[in-house]
């Protein structure tokens, strides 16, 4: 206790104004980096407890603020199989971080151990990584201090993309078992991806150059490193890495990256967009992905998470059919209310696959995707992945093919199982998946875009007095509170053709968001503004 107390005094918490408190949200704790040192220390205490609770398995801690500006940072916990921290534990994180004094912290730490029947003498292991933000150094040393103070073994994996840390957590905990996820090293991650990519490509040709905007974040150097692992002559992936300046911290996520592309609905101004070029953007920690090109006739066209999701579902659905597994394997797609209605229609009516809608936040989507043999999930913002159940992976490897076509499909499915990150959305892995699919289909981005037309839509951020007054039901598609608001929204929606709209409190910002879609752009805008006025 003395060790923890002394260490805690070196990493004080910055008190908030009366009535305010820190909250472990959708993305862990995320805010101005100057507030995070004490928080990261306390997160370290919780990670150590979690490892001890889970038979000394390794727990991950990632220090990143993703697409936020350079001055921010964040910290989140990764569970043993590379998943997000179990939801029940979020409140313990919130509890420890909001303790008013070091003494109270130690008391609550011990109470938590007692309440959860955790043996504080058991071995514990935590592994961690950080993105390129300069504030990361200080935060990981506060983390290491917490791990020292609790006699926890730890490994500092230094600079990583968020999905790489998730990979390493799972690889660490499955090392030497039949469930082994790959070598426990950054090189192991690249080797696994490069090998699976070559297998999945099956000598198909990739057309032209892919320009990858890396948001001046950690994805830049990591993507460049990955490219060295692709065997020459086996695949012709030609990548041009741009916006990969990680030496000037202030340019991180500045006028570039997946979040910029999605929210501004245009290409990053630098490098100057080339009409016709196939482009994609990663976000600051390389877990989100957006594709786009500038059409010489129609201008900017974006292929977002909904498009990636429907592309993956269509390709994998066809493969499962060709493999003769249609009746054995259940494929499903998971979306949030922000998915464009046209994508949902395309998946249910054209691909004839079930779609389930969950609340915002990938942990919700991930959880539901696990209920299928193959679960495809993406948020519209480009964060997502495809999960394969152990049964599905076994079927790909063990089913005896009845024809060369079946054999081919089974091999491609098995390769996709290794290529696609099974722990969390991974922009580099997702990008390779998209390249594989486009090569197999011999599609340009324009062909991909032609599969369906998005409904015009508008997303607005609305400042409200108290966002906590807004309660939702039906996967956030309806407001149950404030009283009467939903009725007003329904009345507004009725005035437009093919319209849909909803409002909810943001989980990451102090505001509400209103989403609206309708048959025309002006109607979508008008509806969004009407609904915004209702909740204001
Ligand atoms: P909030 O702030 O709760 O809307 C945003 C994104 C989510 C998710 C989280 C975490 C939108 C509309 N919302 O959540 O999709 O990615 O951030 O990063 O994009
Ligand atoms: Zn991110």
């Amino acid at each position: 206790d003395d060790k923890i107390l002394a260490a805690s005094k070196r990493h004080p918490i910055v008190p908030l104004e009366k009535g305010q408190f820190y909250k472990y949200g959708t993305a862990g704790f995320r805010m101005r980096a100057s507030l995070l040192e004490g928080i990261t220390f306390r997160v370290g205490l919780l990670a150590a407890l979690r490892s001890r609770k889970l038979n000394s398995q390794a727990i991950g801690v990632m220090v990143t603020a993703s697409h936020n500006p350079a001055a921010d940072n964040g910290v989140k916990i990764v569970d043993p199989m590379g998943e997000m921290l179990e939801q029940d534990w979020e409140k313990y994180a919130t509890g420890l971080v909001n303790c008013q004094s070091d003494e109270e912290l130690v008391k609550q730490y011990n109470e938590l151990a007692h309440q959860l029947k955790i043996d504080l003498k058991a071995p514990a292991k935590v592994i961690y990584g950080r993105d390129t933000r300069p504030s990361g150094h200080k935060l990981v040393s506060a983390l290491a201090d917490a791990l020292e103070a609790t006699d926890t073994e730890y490994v500092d994996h230094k600079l990583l993309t968020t999905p790489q840390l998730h990979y390493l957590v799972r690889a660490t905990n499955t090392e030497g078992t039949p469930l082994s996820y790959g070598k426990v090293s950054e090189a192991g991650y690249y080797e696994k991806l490069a090998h699976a990519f070559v297998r999945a490509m099956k000598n198909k040709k990739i057309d032209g150059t892919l320009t990858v905007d890396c948001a001046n974040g950690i994805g830049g150097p990591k993507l460049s490193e990955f490219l060295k692992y692709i065997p020459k002559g086996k695949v012709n992936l030609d990548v041009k890495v741009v916006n990969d300046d990680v030496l000037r911290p202030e340019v991180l996520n500045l006028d570039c990256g997946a979040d910029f592309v999605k929210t501004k609905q245009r290409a990053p101004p630098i490098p100057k967009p080339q009409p016709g070029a196939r482009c994609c953007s990663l976000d600051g920690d390389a877990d989100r992905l957006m594709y786009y090109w500038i059409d010489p006739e129609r201008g900017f066209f974006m292929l977002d998470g909904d498009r990636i999701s429907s592309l993956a579902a269509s390709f994998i659905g066809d493969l499962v059919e060709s493999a003769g597994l249609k009746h054995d394997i259940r494929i499903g797609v998971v979306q949030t209310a922000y998915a464009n209605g046209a994508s949902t229609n395309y998946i249910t009516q054209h691909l004839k696959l079930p779609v389930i809608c969950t609340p915002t936040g990938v942990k919700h989507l991930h959880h539901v995707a696990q209920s299928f043999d193959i679960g495809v999930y993406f948020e519209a913002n480009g964060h997502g992945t495809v999960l394969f159940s152990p049964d599905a992976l076994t079927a790909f490897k063990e089913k005896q093919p009845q024809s060369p076509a079946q054999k081919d499909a089974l091999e491609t499915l098995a390769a996709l199982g290794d290529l696609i990150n099974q722990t969390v959305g991974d922009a580099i892995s997702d990008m390779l998946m998209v390249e594989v699919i486009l090569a197999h289909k011999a599609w340009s981005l324009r062909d991909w875009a032609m599969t369906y037309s998005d409904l015009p839509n508008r997303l607005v951020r609305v400042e409200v007095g108290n966002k906590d007054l807004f309660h939702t039901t039906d996967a956030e598609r309806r407001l149950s509170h404030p009283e009467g608001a939903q009725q007003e929204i329904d009345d507004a929606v009725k005035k437009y053709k093919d319209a849909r709209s909803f409002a909810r409190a943001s989980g990451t910002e102090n505001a509400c968001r209103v989403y609206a879609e309708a048959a025309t752009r002006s109607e979508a805008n008008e509806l969004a503004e009407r609904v915004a006025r209702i909740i204001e």
Side-chain angles (χ1 to χ4, degrees):
D1 285 8
D2 291 349
K3 266 204 309 193
I4 300 176
L5 194 62
S8 175
K9 287 188 196 297
R10 292 195 293 275
H11 307 290
I13 284 279
V14 181
L16 289 177
E17 276 171 43
K18 227 183 157 55
Q20 292 201 12
F21 64 97
Y22 295 110
K23 189 166 179 286
Y24 193 100
T26 332
F29 296 104
R30 189 183 291 183
M31 61 200 78
R32 294 300 291 257
S34 53
L35 300 174
L36 274 165
E37 188 186 332
I39 293 179
T40 309
F41 175 81
R42 294 172 181 208
V43 165
L45 297 183
L46 190 72
L49 283 177
R50 182 116 183 108
S51 173
R52 293 194 159 96
K53 174 71 190 175
L54 299 176
N55 299 318
S56 310
Q57 291 183 91
I59 295 296
V61 176
M62 183 68 198
V63 173
T64 177
S66 185
H67 56 277
N68 283 35
D72 287 1
N73 215 329
V75 55
K76 56 187 169 190
I77 299 181
V78 179
D79 264 355
M81 283 304 110
E83 287 146 331
M84 309 261 179
L85 175 67
E86 183 185 290
Q87 214 164 328
D88 269 359
W89 275 58
E90 292 180 1
K91 59 175 182 289
Y92 305 142
T94 299
L96 287 180
V97 165
N98 288 290
C99 287
Q100 301 283 322
S101 67
D102 304 308
E103 288 73 17
E104 191 192 327
L105 173 68
V106 173
K107 187 162 160 265
Q108 198 172 117
Y109 170 82
N110 285 312
E111 278 170 6
L112 204 51
H114 180 74
Q115 179 198 334
L116 297 168
K117 303 193 173 59
I118 294 168
D119 174 8
L120 290 174
K121 299 229 159 50
K125 182 167 185 175
V126 170
I127 74 171
Y128 57 86
R130 59 185 165 87
D131 71 15
T132 53
R133 286 161 213 269
S135 56
H137 284 283
K138 199 174 191 170
L139 301 184
V140 296
S141 54
L143 179 66
D145 244 11
L147 302 173
E148 297 271 0
T150 52
D151 294 318
T152 302
E153 181 193 342
Y154 60 88
V155 184
D156 178 1
H157 283 283
K158 309 270 166 58
L159 295 173
L160 292 176
T161 70
T162 294
Q164 284 179 326
L165 179 77
H166 286 251
Y167 164 92
L168 286 169
V169 172
R170 180 135 161 192
T172 301
N173 288 313
T174 54
E175 194 182 18
T177 76
L179 295 173
S180 169
Y181 194 59
K183 282 192 208 151
V184 189
S185 64
E186 201 183 314
Y189 168 90
Y190 300 128
E191 283 164 17
K192 179 174 179 174
L193 249 57
H195 183 63
F197 182 57
V198 172
R199 279 159 57 217
M201 282 300 296
K202 293 221 152 230
N203 300 317
K204 299 278 188 303
K205 286 279 161 296
I206 300 180
D207 201 29
T209 299
L210 173 65
T211 303
V212 187
D213 153 35
C214 300
N216 293 316
I218 186 66
K222 300 305 181 187
L223 175 59
S224 297
E225 187 60 24
F226 164 74
L227 293 172
K228 297 180 192 159
Y229 286 76
I230 298 186
K232 294 235 158 29
K234 288 249 175 100
V235 272
N236 66 331
L237 178 69
D238 177 21
V239 170
K240 187 167 149 207
V241 178
V242 302
N243 295 328
D244 61 342
D245 179 356
V246 295
L247 297 176
R248 287 185 302 146
E250 65 278 11
V251 295
L252 173 65
N253 297 319
L254 188 70
D255 292 338
C256 60
D259 194 63
F260 172 90
V261 170
K262 176 70 180 167
T263 54
K264 298 277 160 58
Q265 313 235 354
R266 58 185 153 95
I270 298 169
K272 196 174 177 327
Q274 299 299 321
R278 184 163 89 258
C279 303
C280 67
S281 287
L282 322 180
D283 73 339
D285 62 339
D287 59 2
R288 290 194 192 180
L289 177 68
M290 284 286 148
Y291 266 77
Y292 49 92
W293 87 100
I294 311 276
D295 195 277
E297 279 129 46
R298 296 171 44 196
F300 175 78
F301 199 102
M302 175 177 70
L303 295 139
D304 65 2
D306 300 338
R307 296 278 185 173
I308 298 172
S309 166
S310 51
L311 180 75
S314 133
F315 182 63
I316 293 170
D318 287 349
L319 283 176
V320 165
E321 195 163 339
S322 310
L325 288 170
K326 196 173 185 281
H327 300 290
D328 307 294
I329 285 185
R330 233 166 61 85
I331 308 176
V333 177
V334 191
Q335 301 185 317
T336 71
Y338 292 104
N340 195 279
S343 74
T344 315
N345 283 340
Y346 173 78
I347 297 163
T348 54
Q349 286 162 31
H350 184 81
L351 303 180
K352 308 232 180 298
L353 294 173
V355 173
I356 296 183
C357 182
T358 74
T360 304
V362 279
K363 65 185 171 203
H364 300 292
L365 290 98
H366 188 95
H367 187 73
V368 173
Q370 283 175 321
S371 64
F372 294 99
D373 293 308
I374 302 179
V376 180
Y377 77 84
F378 277 86
E379 287 195 308
N381 62 29
H383 191 193
T385 191
V386 182
L387 298 181
F388 297 90
S389 71
D391 284 352
L393 293 173
T394 309
F396 304 157
K397 287 196 183 100
E398 292 182 358
K399 185 179 160 71
Q400 287 303 318
Q402 309 294 312
S403 67
Q406 271 197 6
K407 180 164 180 286
D408 203 65
L410 288 166
E411 285 170 2
T412 308
L413 283 166
L416 288 177
D418 285 336
L419 180 64
I420 304 172
N421 196 319
Q422 296 298 289
T423 64
V424 77
D426 180 336
I428 295 179
S429 154
D430 288 339
M431 180 191 93
L432 296 171
M433 171 187 81
V434 169
E435 292 299 305
V436 164
I437 300 176
L438 296 179
H440 274 257
K441 289 181 178 278
W443 272 6
S444 64
L445 294 192
R446 189 200 295 251
D447 297 320
W448 176 12
M450 296 275 276
T451 47
Y452 63 83
S453 301
D454 271 325
L455 280 168
N457 61 89
R458 174 89 189 278
L459 179 63
V460 287
R461 187 178 182 277
V462 186
E463 301 285 344
V464 291
N466 179 4
K467 71 163 181 171
D468 298 329
L469 297 177
F470 294 83
H471 297 188
T472 60
T473 59
D474 191 21
E476 301 181 329
R477 288 173 290 193
R478 298 184 66 76
L479 282 175
S480 53
H481 268 271
E483 206 98 10
Q486 187 57 49
Q487 188 56 52
E488 285 186 55
I489 297 176
D490 289 344
D491 292 342
V493 170
K494 269 188 219 134
K495 298 190 167 68
Y496 302 88
K497 188 171 173 291
D498 294 332
R500 182 169 77 91
S501 182
F502 64 92
R504 57 177 275 280
S506 161
T508 60
E509 287 171 47
N510 192 18
C512 280
R513 295 193 206 286
V514 168
Y515 176 87
E517 57 186 37
T520 65
R521 174 139 314 277
S522 62
E523 285 172 302
N525 287 342
E526 210 179 285
L527 176 57
E529 270 143 39
R530 254 179 215 257
V531 174
R533 277 198 300 275
I534 294 171
I535 65 156
E536 223 155 46

